[in-house]
Amino acid sequence: MFVDTICGVDFQVFHGTRKLKGMAYNNEPMPYPDDTEEGVIQVVNGAALEYTKTWQLVMNMDLSSNKLVGEIPVELTALYGLVGLNLSNNHLSGGIPDNIGNMAALISLDLSGNELDGQIPPSIAALNFLSHLNLSNNNLSGRIPTGSQLQTLIDPSIYAGNKDLCGAPLPKNCSIHEDPTAIAKRKYEATDEPNKVWFYMDITCGFATGFWGVIVVLMLKKQWRHKLFIFAEETRVKIHVALLVRVNKLKPYRSLGCK
């Protein structure tokens, strides 16, 4: 369990239960005693800053290097007033929340040094005030999203240590096979491949069973075998007669054409 109450944020994670209280809006600062003299060091925009008299203005959550485990709680994205979020150097797993873009006030986001996987959510491009981003040293994959603000973050080190990431600003280009839609399609096809194999095996076994079943019945039932041969012969004769009639009808037209 870990708790951080900086700037009124009460954030708890224990036994899979998540509770978020406090800062969900950024219009009213949390009250603090005027005689507070103890300072607090927070990492904002990649730099460690010490705050003493301005706690009311600190809308930052720094939980870095705390040996935290598990997934990033989706409830965290409801803290719309948060301007800085630092969860770096922990053991967080899973993916980045899809609605990370809801944290519209974010200026600094640091998720580096974890075990996050999956694709970077496209909604991260909606963070219009983001000036510091660090997603390095994770297991992220796929195409790096693009957006007006993300286009200004051109430092490749932001995404370093994610070997399966591609696209600007990394030198690794995304081929058509690395497109998120294509990746999802490949995963679906890979999952569906065993089902296709069993489907074709069922068809083959069914055909073989039916074919040899008919052969065995005909071998054992002499009367059925004779009826089948008679039916086949009658069918052959009917086809032959039909072809002869068709040819004889065409002969007068051919004769007229020759003249």
Side-chain angles (χ1 to χ4, degrees), residues 204-217:
T204 304
C205 292
F207 175 80
T209 301
F211 176 79
W212 286 109
V214 172
I215 296 299
V216 171
V217 169

Side-chain angles (χ1 to χ4, degrees), residues 140-169:
L140 300 172
S141 60
R143 187 186 298 270
I144 297 174
T146 57
S148 57
Q149 187 62 21
L150 287 180
Q151 298 303 102
T152 66
L153 304 174
I154 58 175
D155 186 356
S157 65
I158 293 174
Y159 308 100
N162 296 280
K163 64 178 182 178
D164 294 325
L165 277 181
C166 61

Side-chain angles (χ1 to χ4, degrees), residues 68-124:
L68 305 178
V69 297
E71 298 184 356
I72 299 176
V74 68
E75 293 90 344
L76 198 63
T77 60
L79 300 181
Y80 307 119
L82 204 62
V83 298
L85 176 60
N86 188 352
L87 301 177
S88 63
N89 300 318
N90 286 292
H91 302 287
L92 298 175
S93 58
I96 300 174
D98 291 335
N99 55 349
I100 189 74
N102 291 347
M103 307 177 74
L106 272 184
I107 297 176
S108 175
L109 176 61
D110 192 343
L111 303 177
S112 62
N114 283 287
E115 301 167 11
L116 300 174
D117 55 24
Q119 300 177 19
I120 301 175
S123 68
I124 200 171

Side-chain angles (χ1 to χ4, degrees), residues 9-204:
V9 180
D10 186 1
F11 177 55
Q12 299 181 347
V13 176
F14 58 98
H15 300 300
T17 302
R18 299 173 175 86
K19 295 183 179 180
L20 290 162
K21 299 178 182 179
M23 188 182 61
Y25 304 96
N26 57 0
N27 53 352
E28 295 183 2
M30 297 297 296
Y32 279 89
D34 294 334
D35 58 350
T36 301
E37 296 183 356
E38 183 180 357
V40 61
I41 297 177
Q42 293 285 284
V43 178
V44 182
N45 283 346
L49 304 176
E50 183 177 3
Y51 297 87
T52 55
K53 298 293 186 180
T54 56
W55 279 26
Q56 293 182 353
L57 303 178
V58 181
M59 298 295 180
N60 181 61
M61 180 182 290
D62 183 359
L63 299 174
S64 60
S65 303
N66 274 295
K67 299 182 180 179
L68 305 178
V69 297
E71 298 184 356
I72 299 176
V74 68
E75 293 90 344
L76 198 63
T77 60
L79 300 181
Y80 307 119
L82 204 62
V83 298
L85 176 60
N86 188 352
L87 301 177
S88 63
N89 300 318
N90 286 292
H91 302 287
L92 298 175
S93 58
I96 300 174
D98 291 335
N99 55 349
I100 189 74
N102 291 347
M103 307 177 74
L106 272 184
I107 297 176
S108 175
L109 176 61
D110 192 343
L111 303 177
S112 62
N114 283 287
E115 301 167 11
L116 300 174
D117 55 24
Q119 300 177 19
I120 301 175
S123 68
I124 200 171
L127 301 177
N128 295 323
F129 299 104
L130 195 64
S131 61
H132 175 78
L133 176 64
N134 193 347
L135 302 178
S136 62
N137 299 317
N138 282 287
N139 299 312
L140 300 172
S141 60
R143 187 186 298 270
I144 297 174
T146 57
S148 57
Q149 187 62 21
L150 287 180
Q151 298 303 102
T152 66
L153 304 174
I154 58 175
D155 186 356
S157 65
I158 293 174
Y159 308 100
N162 296 280
K163 64 178 182 178
D164 294 325
L165 277 181
C166 61
L170 294 178
K172 181 181 179 181
N173 294 324
C174 294
S175 66
I176 186 172
H177 300 292
E178 291 172 322
D179 184 78
T181 304
I183 292 175
K185 184 178 180 180
R186 283 206 312 272
K187 289 182 178 179
Y188 172 77
E189 290 177 349
T191 304
D192 194 52
E193 188 65 26
N195 295 332
K196 289 184 177 180
V197 173
W198 282 109
F199 174 74
Y200 291 123
M201 287 183 64
D202 288 342
I203 292 179
T204 304

